[in-house]
Each structure stands twice: as C-alpha cells, then as structure tokens.
Amino acid sequence: AQSVTQLDSHVSVSEGTPVLLRCNYSSSYSPSLFWYVQHPNKGLQLLLKYTSAATLVKGINGFEAEFKKSETSFHLTKPSAHMSDAAEYFCVVSGAGGYNKLIFGAGTRLAVHP
Amino acid sequence: DADVTQTPRNRITKTGKRIMLECSQTKGHDRMYWYRQDPGLGLRLIYYSFDVKDINKGEISDGYSVSRQAQAKFSLSLESAIPNQTALYFCATGTGELFFGEGSRLTVL
C-alpha cells in the first residue's frame, strides 16, 4: 500500500533563509509524487510533480524537490523564503489506482517571519 | 472566473438536514473529485468520477452521495448531516495535476 508522511506539522523560518519541508513515502512500485500548496482560504495549487523523469524537479515560485529512492524521500526546498510563501504544503503520492487515488500527507504549515 | 467553482462557500446546518454542495469546472477535464479536509489529516477522497456515467467511491464515501449532471458539474450530497461531517470540502478536476476549487466550509450543529 502507498502512504506518505510529512515529518513536520509546522515549520518556521525567517524571510530570506532556506526552506526545507520533509516528506517520506512508501510505495510498492515507482510512484508519482507531488507537492501542493494551500494559501489561506484558497484551494490547493500544484507546486511541482515527479513522474520518473529527472530526480530533481523544479516547480513554481523557486521551489524544488529531489526524489531519493534509496531514502524514500521527496523533500521540498527553496533557497530563500519570502513572506508570500507562508501557507500549508501537502506532499502527495499516487496510489494503486494511479491518479485516481492520490494519497495526501497531513500537511506542513510554513510560517515566515520578517 | 475561477476554473473550478464551488457553492456554497460556507454553510451552517443542523443535524439531520440534507445538504448539497455543488461544483462546476471550465477546464474541460472528464475526471472530477470530491475531497474532505480535516486539520491534521490532509485531504481524503470521498468520490470520484471519470465521466458522466462512471462514479466511484473513495476511501470515505459512507454518509455521502454524488451526482454527475454533466461533464462540467459534480455535486456532493449529505442526505442526513451529522456533526462529524463538519469539515472543509474540496472539488477538483484533472488528471495528474489536479485543479481545486476554493472549498466549501460546512458546519453541522
């Protein structure tokens, strides 16, 4: 069975410092992995996705994630946080039903301080 | 206009009442989904639909029903609402990349 674990429920950084949001997954086959962002009172928006091409995936707004099969991880990073990055982030793995069965992590709330 | 529109955005109702949440999309995708979001639990799939004639249960379909009225419209119903159905509900469409509505916040008293 597929599962996804976001290792931190809350992350707080200062503006201009790096961001690291951690995600581990479990899958019995080569998965597709996604990061979505949810700003307050908004729906979710795709940041980036991994679908077995390059292991380093670049997304929108300067975010990127690296697929590490040996570590079953798909951590999200950004070199320099901006105030507008404050939001909730979800790591998502495709389940046995492919894109029909996306499995969401519990979410990581990112706070960015001046 | 938003690609995925949900109505109502907020609703307060009482236990036992019937509630319908509506969703329409302009992305032209065949696949549509209803998710429920609870704090600390992420999003969980309630129902999904490949097309007008194909509707499937997700992981938490008990207490919910859906109707796919057209390619662009997918509604979620709670026949007899109960307090533990208080949550934020999202409609989405797409394959691979999902496009989400802004959510419908439902409170059942």
Side-chain angles (χ1 to χ4, degrees), chain A residues 8 10-22 35 47 61-65 75-87 89 108-113:
Chain A
D8 306 290
H10 291 81
V11 171
S12 181
V13 301
S14 298
E15 190 175 22
T17 64
V19 175
L20 170 63
L21 305 183
R22 299 182 295 165
W35 277 98
L47 271 180
N61 300 333
F63 284 94
E64 62 183 34
H75 301 335
L76 182 70
T77 61
K78 182 174 181 178
S80 176
H82 190 273
M83 296 296 290
S84 62
D85 294 327
Y89 293 78
T108 298
R109 186 165 297 277
L110 176 65
V112 182
H113 302 288

Side-chain angles (χ1 to χ4, degrees), chain B residues 1-107:
Chain B
D1 289 340
D3 295 326
V4 182
T5 303
Q6 294 183 229
T7 56
R9 294 292 312 281
N10 289 282
R11 182 72 183 269
I12 300 173
T13 190
K14 295 181 178 180
T15 298
K17 294 293 186 180
R18 183 178 188 273
I19 295 297
M20 178 181 287
L21 306 180
E22 298 184 334
C23 176
S24 62
Q25 54 102 352
T26 58
K27 297 294 290 184
H29 290 296
D30 288 326
R31 298 184 180 188
M32 296 188 73
Y33 308 80
W34 275 104
Y35 285 92
R36 168 178 172 159
Q37 183 180 22
D38 297 279
L41 295 179
L43 273 70
R44 293 179 291 167
L45 183 62
I46 305 172
Y47 271 96
Y48 62 102
S49 171
F50 289 169
D51 61 38
V52 175
K53 297 182 180 180
D54 188 358
I55 292 176
N56 305 277
K57 293 182 177 181
E59 61 179 309
I60 56 164
S61 59
D62 287 349
Y64 301 95
S65 62
V66 291
S67 175
R68 185 80 184 267
Q69 300 93 329
Q71 185 204 36
K73 297 185 181 296
F74 192 37
S75 61
L76 176 72
S77 294
L78 288 68
E79 296 301 327
S80 179
I82 57 177
N84 75 2
Q85 291 178 313
T86 293
L88 184 57
Y89 292 86
F90 284 102
C91 176
T93 188
T95 302
E97 176 178 2
L98 294 187
F99 299 89
F100 285 82
E102 294 194 335
S104 295
R105 186 171 296 280
L106 177 65
T107 302

Side-chain angles (χ1 to χ4, degrees), chain A residues 28-97:
Chain A
S28 55
Y29 56 90
S30 183
S32 293
L33 293 158
F34 310 80
W35 277 98
Y36 281 83
V37 61
Q38 183 183 24
H39 290 279
N41 300 314
K42 296 292 185 183
L44 282 74
Q45 179 186 16
L46 181 68
L47 271 180
L48 50 81
K49 63 181 178 182
Y50 167 78
T51 55
S52 74
T55 56
L56 183 61
V57 182
K58 294 187 182 300
I60 61 173
N61 300 333
F63 284 94
E64 62 183 34
E66 186 172 8
F67 173 73
K68 292 187 176 181
K69 185 175 181 179
S70 61
E71 299 176 9
T72 61
S73 69
F74 190 58
H75 301 335
L76 182 70
T77 61
K78 182 174 181 178
S80 176
H82 190 273
M83 296 296 290
S84 62
D85 294 327
E88 189 153 22
Y89 293 78
F90 293 94
C91 183
V92 183
V93 63
S94 60

